[in-house]
Amino acid sequence: MLISNTVLSMLWGSTAHGEQGEMLSSQIRGVAEESMVLQGAPNISDLIPSLARFDLQGLERKIHVTFRRLDQIVSSIIEERRKLGEGNSVGEEAKDLLQVLLDLNNHGDYAAESSITDNQIKGFYDRRNRHNIDHNRVDDGRADATSRRNAAAIKEAFRLHPALPLLVPRCPTEDCQIGRYTIPKGATVFINAYAMHRDPQLWDSPLEFRPERFLDENAAKFDYLGNSSQYFPFGTGRRVCPGIPMAEKMLNYILASLLHSFEWKLAHGSTEVDLTDKFGIVVKLEKPLVLIPTPRLANPELYYSYS
Ligand code: HEM
């Protein structure tokens, strides 16, 4: 939710704040959750492709409805902003990304190369339109020992519980050979990150939580960019997650803030954390982790939000 709010704020500025922002966030989250369930549902069309055109379970139809709903949410934001913007010019420095894009859209003639269409504006929400991804990484040189340990703990958590246990399916454009296997052109290939992250041939005591695996020289060896064939919690290759720079910065920041600001206790007098995974397109905990935070900073004002 925090990441979704941050992305919305970056894209839509003030539109994403306050009550309206909360409503938007929860609508988008609803659509995202629904589409995850639909995409993860077993589909008979995958097993018997000749039946795909009948869409027997109606999954394809439902997913189109879900995506249309997302499209409507984004369209309504664009329309509303356009109405607001008429006769109401904002200074350059106060413009958010949506305003900059709308200005290009309004002033451009559609034939000109620099103009941008509504669909392209919406495309900022769509993975198919990503270009020029900047994989700049946090400067490790400046990080102190605690934040290096936090970063290693996050990496280890992702090793044992990768958010996407099976990467987005791949489909080879020609027959290829991997080890003893021939993968025929057009096959749907699932890459099981979950199993590889726990493979005893690749990791010592793979089921143990040991952040030190990712300290020192291994900090650079196992990055998030999918450069290692044994560790790729953000995927690998041309479909690698484009959100890595943001996720990496935010996760370190969130974990550090939560540890710095609160003492944490398990709820309901429990003494053990149950980390059993619940599988789906994304992995979640089977039993939600319930913790009780107690403020540990002396000045209570530090806990107020300034938004
Ligand atoms: C903890 C945070 C995150 C994790 C663990 C994660 C993980 C992943 C993984 C495993 C994939 C599939 C890659 C593959 O199949 O090779 C993926 C794809 C993707 N991620 Fe993330 N991600 C995270 C955060 C984000 C954020 C913050 C954004 C956007 C702001 C984002 C946007 C995307 C998009 C658009 C794709 C689809 C890429 C494509 O198919 O071409 N992710 N992510």
Side-chain angles (χ1 to χ4, degrees), residues 125-159:
Y125 250 87
D126 187 328
R127 64 185 183 191
R128 281 163 300 191
N129 276 309
R130 66 197 171 88
H131 297 293
N132 303 327
I133 298 158
D134 175 5
H135 281 316
N136 283 341
R137 311 205 42 242
V138 183
D139 180 2
D140 281 340
R142 279 180 298 146
D144 64 12
T146 313
S147 65
R148 276 202 297 274
R149 274 206 308 277
N150 281 350
I154 293 173
K155 278 188 178 163
E156 177 67 340
F158 276 141
R159 183 185 67 80

Side-chain angles (χ1 to χ4, degrees), residues 195-215:
M196 291 169 79
H197 285 185
R198 290 171 176 236
D199 186 340
Q201 290 184 18
L202 302 173
W203 303 94
D204 287 339
S205 312
L207 301 185
E208 282 173 24
F209 184 80
R210 285 204 206 155
E212 50 293 359
R213 299 176 206 274
F214 296 102
L215 282 174

